[in-house]
Amino acid sequence: MERRLFDILVCPQCKAQLRFQPEDQELICDADQLAFPVRDGIPVMLINEARSLDTQTDNA
């Protein structure tokens, strides 16, 4: 993915800056705890395609 494109992409939900995680080919929104996939070098910026990073579980 081109660095220029990465610099202008923001989270479609909260408009926060994203960070690229090359090993998983994902763009991460730390604010919303979402991971947006990058498929064949193209970021998929659809909220319904994002993976939740929330790993908290209820231990009650």
Side-chain angles (χ1 to χ4, degrees):
M1 188 168 66
E2 286 188 39
R3 179 72 186 167
R4 186 177 66 208
L5 177 60
F6 173 70
D7 288 340
I8 63 172
L9 286 176
V10 295
C11 176
Q13 183 164 290
C14 72
K15 309 302 185 237
Q17 190 162 2
L18 301 170
R19 63 181 168 85
F20 182 55
Q21 193 164 4
E23 60 273 3
D24 295 325
Q25 289 294 295
E26 293 179 322
L27 290 166
I28 307 297
C29 176
D30 291 315
D32 289 329
Q33 292 294 292
L34 293 174
F36 296 91
V38 177
R39 297 184 185 132
D40 297 323
I42 301 169
V44 180
M45 303 305 297
L46 301 171
I47 295 171
N48 63 341
E49 290 283 327
R51 177 175 67 85
S52 175
L53 298 176
D54 186 17
T55 59
Q56 292 181 343
T57 58
D58 294 334
N59 292 329

